[in-house]
Amino acid sequence: MPLDYSLLNEAQRKAMEDTEGRVLVLAGAGSGKTRVLTYRVAYLVSELGVDPRNILAITFTNKAIEEMRVRLDGLLGDKNKVWISTFHKLCAMILKRFATRLGYTENFTIYDESDSNRLIAKVLRLKHLDDGPLKDIVKDHISAAKNEGLSPEQYYAQIRGLVKFDSEIYEVFEEYEEELKRSNAMDFDDLLHKAKLLFELHPDVLDLFQNRFRYIHVDEFQDTNSVQFDIVRMLSEKWGNLFVVGDDDQSIYGWRGAKVENILNFDKVYPNAKIHKLLQNYRSTPNILDCANNVIRNNKARHEKELFTVKPSGVKVEYYTAYNDHQEAEWIIENIRSLKRMGYTNKDFAILIRQNSLSRNFESKLSGLGMKYRILGGFKFFDRKEIQDVIAYMRVIYNVKDSEAILRIINFPRRGIGDSSIDRLREYARMRGVDLIDVILNINANDALTGAAKNKVNEFRMLISDLIGNRYMPIHELAEYIVDKAGFEYAYNSTGKEEDENRWQNIVEFIKHVKEFAADNPNAGLAEFLETVSLAPEREEIRDNDAITIATMHSVKGLEFKVVFIAGCEEGIFPSERSKNEDNIEEERRVMYVAVTRAKERLYISSARQRFRFNRVQPMLPSRFMEEAKGGQESKIEELRRKWDAPDYGWRRYDNDFDDMPYSPPKPIEQRRETFAQIPEKPTLPPVKKDLSGFRMGGTVIHKIYGEGTIIMIAGSGADTQATVLFPKLGAKKFMLAVAPLTPKE
């Protein structure tokens, strides 16, 4: 069918027609990047006669896959044989076919985050390491290593002597990898890491897929990590056709390994690369785009570009500074109620926050008014314990070496197998160098357990043997068989607890989902179903769409709303306290840019002068991003100080207007007089002996007790020099520099 190019603007069409070599499309927010990518694929097939089976399109979510597939079906019809995939699905497909080359069997299990965390906790116990501080950091280090394509040894060589607990991290990482291998399992990061390793060790496998995928397209390229870039670089090396679409201004996932340098340096990696810019925005009004452009132009590490639109100017962006966080929430909700009277509906509104903890005020006030809301990025259906339990039975049937799945189900539903018995089974397997399942399946022929404990494990053995014997059932029948044989219904419906009844209903809903999967995929079996579940981390519980959205800024990337409120725009919150260097500040600014560009018609940006944090009321400074959005340059600390010192910016405590906030009544006047009597009118200060020249406005200082802070005001001279220092967790404090235990940070 002929393609209709009337929907493309000139810049989009030029990008579409650039079909050979390496091409980078810098697509600003709301500029129609998916349209360009899909039209380009359709152009290759319809106009240039490229076999669609030789085209690969990679994106990051299942939702994006479905959107791309629907669009290509509309453009190509029956010719749509294009391989559309996420990075993880692509790598899983490759590894399922060639896993034996790396010492795995093709039925390896894919561990999700909860599986990985449990395995790390197990390794920490095995190594007799304190799981307090290590538990929270080891997983991040392992993930970082794999995202860079590094083995435990290679990663240790990089962090040795530079990172706290370096040797412990290496020790746990090494044992974690061995445990995965013994369980014939890979974690989520392994799918990328092992696929790259497969290509490096087996050039014939790489050559096979290079010839299969002659035209490679990558969406959201700014979100790729080092390994992902390496994979597409290797796949495209033979034919040289790599088409990437992204926006460096929307690179906000550095904390999980994304490398903004991939898109910033694309033309350096490929000097002959062609670059196209899509700058016309189809989503927002000019006033909103002015705000976005004002913010992002303060970043230094970026491709220079500025969004524009042909839409009418629209409503001006509204800025508001509340007395406190309660007043801020009330102001936002009152605006929502007012706009609803004008015809807006709940689904048109989004309240965006930098931290999940900021949602409390909005939730309580919306609930009190009976207004529907949803928390985007909340608890996922497939993460629920009862669903994970059923899936664990499926995993054991599919891969009997999956020890984490075995440990999850061995005593659930409860069958009287205690922790001590399980520990003895694990130790018995470890000492003899065999798999846990081997000990269980041969429980009658070994001496791992005796007496009643042995009998209980034998019952579990018979159940597992029965389930394994029926593994070739149709997937929906197998799911029902597992639930029935394992005794899930009795376990949850016999307690009389509402919580357990809800869990049973979730299992019923899960069975329904499996039936729908079977209907949509008539040739798929257990392997395909487990892969789908493992590689769908973004799948969420179905919610009422007629609801106000409360969400973190990271969770709304790719979404849009008619009305957006950006709340909590204060230093220490946004940008966050952890954003100490320029690179981190620039990523925080990109988060602000993403938040602003979610708005279609109306945008509101708010802050509070006081906020309840860390169990106390703290004075807050307005965010530099709020100032930048108004059109000024990058905020200077002097400007913030002047605002702070204004008469209406006092550091007052909360009044009694808010009953749920802490309030300390004043002491009796007699006690106060006694206290005041002890304080001289003006302390006698010693001559200045220390050098005060290193103290300056905006400079960072270190206090022996309070840690690092920023000087926001200096007054006086000589021995009377006073400095007001803002500490992230304590607020502002005043010091006499001549005697205060403060030192400038070099």
Side-chain angles (χ1 to χ4, degrees):
M1 72 179 75
L3 295 176
D4 179 11
Y5 299 119
S6 63
L7 296 175
L8 301 177
N9 62 38
E10 184 180 354
Q12 291 172 331
R13 182 152 183 169
K14 284 182 178 179
M16 177 199 71
E17 293 175 341
D18 202 346
T19 60
E20 303 300 314
R22 278 88 178 192
V23 180
L24 168 63
V25 178
L26 294 168
S31 64
K33 63 179 179 62
T34 305
R35 178 184 298 166
V36 170
L37 196 151
T38 51
Y39 260 87
R40 195 218 195 220
V41 171
Y43 183 79
L44 286 169
V45 176
S46 298
E47 303 290 347
L48 302 184
V50 176
D51 189 333
R53 291 169 294 187
N54 291 144
I55 300 174
L56 172 65
I58 305 174
T59 187
F60 277 83
T61 67
N62 291 312
K63 181 182 177 183
I65 288 177
E66 188 58 30
E67 182 184 357
M68 203 176 292
R69 183 173 286 116
V70 168
R71 293 197 187 199
L72 283 173
D73 284 345
L75 293 171
L76 294 175
D78 294 339
K79 291 183 180 179
N80 185 16
K81 307 295 183 184
V82 177
W83 189 285
I84 310 170
S85 178
T86 64
F87 272 103
H88 290 88
K89 279 189 173 181
L90 172 68
C91 292
M93 178 272 293
I94 294 169
L95 290 167
K96 289 288 184 183
R97 188 170 173 183
F98 294 99
T100 54
R101 298 281 191 102
L102 298 176
Y104 295 82
T105 63
E106 63 183 13
N107 65 327
F108 64 85
T109 301
I110 301 171
Y111 277 11
D112 63 15
E113 187 174 359
S114 61
D115 295 319
S116 296
N117 290 335
R118 282 195 301 272
L119 182 54
I120 287 171
K122 170 186 170 183
V123 173
L124 287 168
R125 290 193 301 271
L126 187 67
K127 297 289 184 180
H128 304 290
L129 294 170
D130 178 17
D131 67 352
L134 284 173
K135 189 176 180 181
D136 295 330
I137 67 170
V138 168
K139 180 65 171 68
D140 290 338
H141 279 281
I142 293 174
S143 184
K146 292 184 178 184
N147 286 336
E148 294 292 329
L150 303 175
S151 68
E153 293 77 15
Q154 291 169 326
Y155 189 66
Y156 181 55
Q158 285 195 4
I159 68 169
R160 187 174 182 181
L162 301 174
V163 172
K164 194 176 181 181
F165 304 118
D166 53 355
S167 59
E168 289 87 351
I169 291 168
Y170 167 67
E171 192 177 343
V172 174
F173 188 4
E174 188 176 46
E175 181 64 27
Y176 172 79
E177 291 293 277
E178 292 176 5
E179 286 282 343
L180 281 173
K181 194 67 174 289
R182 281 193 287 269
S183 296
N184 192 36
M186 297 185 194
D187 64 21
F188 213 57
D189 294 318
D190 273 330
L191 296 177
L192 306 175
H193 176 57
K194 300 295 187 189
K196 178 192 173 188
L197 185 63
L198 179 68
F199 288 160
E200 290 173 341
L201 296 177
H202 301 280
D204 61 312
V205 176
L206 175 60
D207 186 66
L208 177 70
F209 288 101
Q210 285 177 334
N211 287 324
R212 168 69 188 274
F213 303 125
R214 302 191 178 195
Y215 290 86
I216 297 172
H217 304 72
V218 183
D219 196 11
E220 305 287 2
F221 187 67
Q222 77 280 347
D223 294 335
T224 55
N225 60 34
S226 297
V227 175
Q228 288 164 335
F229 191 16
D230 286 341
I231 288 170
V232 295
R233 178 182 53 77
M234 295 167 81
L235 283 173
S236 63
E237 203 165 25
K238 187 170 186 176
W239 299 95
N241 297 319
L242 177 60
F243 185 89
V244 302
V245 183
D247 183 9
D248 50 292
D249 291 335
Q250 296 185 74
S251 180
I252 62 174
Y253 296 118
W255 51 275
R256 69 182 189 193
K259 296 283 188 180
V260 69
E261 294 82 6
N262 290 348
I263 193 167
L264 291 177
N265 299 329
F266 189 83
D267 55 338
K268 295 181 178 64
V269 177
Y270 300 114
N272 296 322
K274 290 156 285 185
I275 299 178
H276 300 267
K277 294 182 181 181
L278 307 183
L279 303 179
Q280 184 173 351
N281 177 281
Y282 293 91
R283 176 185 299 153
S284 307
T285 65
N287 282 328
I288 293 171
L289 291 185
D290 285 346
C291 175
N293 290 326
N294 287 342
V295 169
I296 202 62
R297 68 166 60 101
N298 287 282
N299 271 4
K300 298 174 183 176
R302 63 186 293 261
H303 291 285
E304 191 170 340
K305 51 191 176 300
E306 191 156 304
L307 297 181
F308 71 93
T309 184
V310 296
K311 289 184 173 185
S313 295
V315 182
K316 287 185 177 180
V317 176
E318 198 164 332
Y319 301 89
Y320 179 71
T321 298
Y323 170 53
N324 57 36
D325 46 350
H326 283 264
Q327 190 183 72
E328 180 190 35
E330 288 170 352
W331 178 80
I332 289 173
I333 291 168
E334 187 52 44
N335 273 288
I336 291 174
R337 296 174 75 181
S338 176
L339 290 171
K340 287 183 70 174
R341 290 191 288 270
M342 294 168 54
Y344 287 92
T345 62
N346 284 340
K347 67 180 180 183
D348 295 329
F349 301 102
I351 302 171
L352 305 186
I353 50 181
R354 182 61 182 85
Q355 303 170 0
N356 280 311
S357 59
L358 298 184
S359 72
R360 182 181 63 86
N361 278 339
F362 301 108
E363 290 186 69
S364 62
K365 294 184 187 301
L366 288 170
S367 296
L369 293 169
M371 300 173 72
K372 291 183 180 179
Y373 69 91
R374 63 171 184 165
I375 305 292
L376 200 62
F379 205 63
K380 299 169 185 174
F381 181 76
F382 285 89
D383 287 343
R384 295 182 180 275
K385 177 190 177 303
E386 59 274 19
I387 306 302
Q388 284 290 310
D389 288 337
V390 180
I391 291 173
Y393 276 94
M394 291 178 158
R395 284 167 45 184
V396 172
I397 296 170
Y398 178 67
N399 173 21
V400 295
K401 291 181 176 239
D402 191 342
S403 59
E404 288 304 302
I406 293 169
L407 292 170
R408 184 179 188 108
I409 66 173
I410 191 170
N411 197 40
F412 191 87
R414 294 192 179 279
R415 50 182 62 91
I417 303 174
D419 290 344
S420 59
S421 297
I422 295 171
D423 288 342
R424 283 198 291 272
L425 290 171
R426 292 168 61 184
E427 183 64 17
Y428 190 91
R430 191 181 70 83
M431 293 295 293
R432 285 156 180 77
V434 298
D435 298 320
L436 180 60
I437 192 65
D438 294 329
V439 180
I440 293 169
L441 293 179
N442 294 284
I443 192 67
N444 292 322
N446 60 50
D447 58 354
L449 296 173
T450 58
K454 187 171 191 172
N455 294 334
K456 296 294 183 182
V457 173
N458 192 44
E459 291 175 11
F460 177 66
R461 177 195 65 79
M462 290 188 291
L463 170 64
I464 293 299
S465 297
D466 179 34
L467 296 177
I468 292 172
N470 288 280
R471 65 185 179 277
Y472 296 116
M473 278 184 175
I475 181 64
H476 62 288
E477 293 181 14
L478 179 61
E480 290 180 324
Y481 191 75
I482 290 170
V483 169
D484 177 56
K485 284 291 184 179
F488 278 90
E489 185 173 8
Y490 178 79
Y492 287 126
N493 278 348
S494 64
T495 66
K497 296 179 180 178
E498 184 180 354
E499 180 186 4
D500 286 344
E501 291 174 3
N502 290 336
R503 290 184 184 278
W504 170 246
Q505 289 305 313
N506 286 334
I507 290 176
V508 172
E509 186 66 25
F510 174 74
I511 297 294
K512 178 184 174 185
H513 171 79
V514 179
K515 288 180 178 178
E516 291 172 353
F517 173 85
D520 294 338
N521 305 274
N523 298 320
L526 181 58
E528 289 78 13
F529 177 76
L530 287 175
E531 183 176 312
T532 299
V533 171
S534 299
L535 300 180
E538 79 275 7
R539 183 190 298 275
E540 292 184 356
E541 198 173 354
I542 297 173
R543 301 179 179 91
D544 187 349
N545 284 326
D546 184 30
I548 298 163
T549 296
I550 303 173
T552 64
M553 298 162 188
H554 285 86
S555 64
V556 294
K557 189 169 175 290
L559 303 180
E560 58 184 35
F561 304 88
K562 288 183 179 180
V563 184
V564 168
F565 297 88
I566 302 176
C569 288
E570 299 127 29
E571 294 289 312
I573 292 178
F574 192 32
S576 73
E577 292 172 351
R578 291 172 290 190
S579 304
K580 295 188 184 261
N581 60 44
E582 187 173 335
D583 288 345
N584 289 340
I585 288 292
E586 294 214 344
E587 176 151 326
E588 288 283 286
R589 189 174 284 112
R590 293 194 292 268
V591 174
M592 179 67 171
Y593 176 81
V594 167
V596 169
T597 54
R598 299 312 94 193
K600 297 170 68 176
E601 298 176 6
R602 295 173 181 265
L603 175 64
Y604 301 79
I605 302 175
S606 62
S607 65
R609 297 172 185 172
Q610 299 185 88
R611 187 172 296 277
F612 190 72
R613 302 179 74 210
F614 308 111
N615 294 317
R616 65 191 291 257
V617 176
Q618 293 190 359
M620 305 298 293
L621 285 170
S623 169
R624 69 193 75 186
F625 303 151
M626 194 171 181
E627 301 299 315
E628 293 169 3
K630 297 174 183 178
Q633 298 299 312
E634 185 173 359
S635 295
K636 304 295 191 293
I637 196 73
E638 178 66 22
E639 182 182 350
L640 295 177
R641 183 193 64 78
R642 286 199 301 269
K643 287 178 174 281
W644 189 256
D645 282 347
D648 63 336
Y649 251 80
W651 295 355
R652 298 167 292 176
R653 294 189 62 85
Y654 282 104
D655 296 327
N656 284 325
D657 297 337
F658 308 103
D659 294 332
D660 59 334
M661 299 304 294
Y663 174 72
S664 301
K667 294 180 179 179
I669 188 68
E670 293 79 13
Q671 292 183 27
R672 284 185 282 160
R673 282 173 180 163
E674 288 178 9
T675 304
F676 296 153
Q678 299 170 8
I679 304 174
E681 289 185 8
K682 185 176 181 180
T684 302
L685 296 175
V688 181
K689 292 183 178 180
K690 71 178 182 182
D691 182 12
L692 304 184
S693 62
F695 297 94
R696 54 181 176 78
M697 291 286 293
T700 301
V701 293
I702 300 173
H703 190 279
K704 288 183 178 180
I705 298 174
Y706 304 145
E708 287 189 11
T710 302
I711 298 177
I712 60 173
M713 185 176 73
I714 294 179
S717 61
D720 291 322
T721 305
Q722 278 190 347
T724 303
V725 181
L726 182 66
F727 296 96
K729 295 183 179 180
L730 299 171
K733 292 183 176 292
K734 291 185 178 181
F735 300 92
M736 303 298 292
L737 289 182
V739 295
L742 287 171
T743 55
K745 185 177 180 181
E746 296 181 356

